[in-house]
Amino acid sequence: MADNSIFKEFGISGELLTLVRKAETGIRDTFKRIEDISEYNHLKVTRSMQKNRLSDTHFAGTTGYGYGDRGRDVLDDIYADVFRAEKALVRHNIVAGTHALSIAMSGNLISGDRLLSVTGKPYETLEQVIGLRGNGKGSLAQFGIEYAQVDSICNGIIDTGKIRQAITSDTKMVYVQRSRGYSWRRSLSVEDIAVITEVIKGVKDDIIVLVDNCYGEFAEEKEPVEAGADLVAGSLIKNPGGGIAPTGGYVAGNAEYVENAACRLTSPGLGSDAGPSLGHNRLLMQGLFFAPHAVSESLKGAVLCSAVMKKLGFITSPGPGEKRHDIIQAVRFKSREELVTFCQGIQSGSPVNSFAAPEPWDMPGYDCPVIMAAGGFVQGSSIELSADGPVKAPYTAYIQGGVIYESVKLGLLCAVQKLLDKGMANIIRKSSI
Ligand SMILES: *Cc1c(COP(=O)(O)O)cnc(C)c1O
């Protein structure tokens, strides 16, 4: 038996440690499933690196225009291969997932076109891209691009009729959000995306299906392009950056559509041929190499979190044994104080800024105060362990990332210990009847 005394340094009681270890033994089969997916994806990534003859010479950076940046081009080719896409655009100067999605949309839509979301309200930060909120400056709406939305997932089931009905002759692009985002709805599997894509293409086969792939990469063996999606976009400080990429985003899919997005990122005429990598290639490659494992560690952490919180009587989604298609774990608390205490506990177990206690604040773009716990090495990185939630009923924390299972477990132990110490949870010793 390992020496438990180190846990005391974090204030973790023996009783809680026992509970968490018991929970771990109950989720071994789920862990095995996650490890199998991770192994497959690790091989997939490595094979893509081999096929593209990745070499240490590709790690050298370019400056200025960045013409003939071999490393950048090989990185694009490796991503294209991993995502089974014709082409990919992977750049450190795509600032975030929002930016990647924004260029995928604005590069492929013109005045009079209509964008349709079939997964209801899009992720918060996209509202200003579309022009649903804010002053509208530079938004799709300002350029005459229309928007409609339909929530086609009812009680976890895809309502294909609703999708069909929502498509009009102007519909040029359909937005599908793979991850649950900050909502209680389930995430979409790649199989679900195949169903949605088939319905859309059945009505009008030139509609561009854009999948918001944030938080979904490597959660399954397949990726959305394999399910018929035309474009995927995401952030490198989430799954595909493996906790190593310092910043960046990607777009992958149909070659013409990806190049259109590149023309928005740089300019028409420059497209994907310009843009210096400035020496970031190695970290973006290495991040991709780490990504399948980082995702599986995060998934295992999420499963443990779900199992432990459920044992303590909290409502969790997904449940510990449920199939996962993204890395987000939602836990419902009964009050503001419980939610804040939990998030502060997560922060206290972090390697960076462990001494800081996050407080709810009025973040731009949200309609209520939000609490965010993050103690990672890259600012805002949510492939590293983070927990956040809008501070309003129903008090829900969204926990994601971790990169390293042990770090999620420690964060969880610290968070639960804080709840126990404040009498907001208790360990019920059930006598076996
Ligand atoms: C994170 C995320 C985004 C983009 O957010 P950024 O913070 O700009 O990276 C978009 N959609 C979903 C579902 C996300 O999780």
Side-chain angles (χ1 to χ4, degrees), residues 20-69:
V20 169
R21 292 218 164 118
K22 265 205 190 123
E24 275 179 316
T25 61
I27 50 185
R28 282 206 187 121
D29 292 348
T30 309
F31 277 18
K32 178 73 175 76
R33 278 212 308 269
I34 292 168
E35 285 159 11
D36 288 346
I37 295 169
S38 169
E39 180 176 70
Y40 178 88
N41 284 325
H42 179 77
L43 296 187
K44 177 162 74 173
V45 165
T46 302
R47 194 71 200 111
S48 300
M49 291 179 169
Q50 292 175 351
K51 276 199 274 190
N52 286 286
R53 301 177 64 83
L54 177 62
S55 144
D56 56 356
T57 59
H58 295 134
F59 303 152
T62 55
T63 55
Y65 292 119
Y67 288 133
D69 190 320

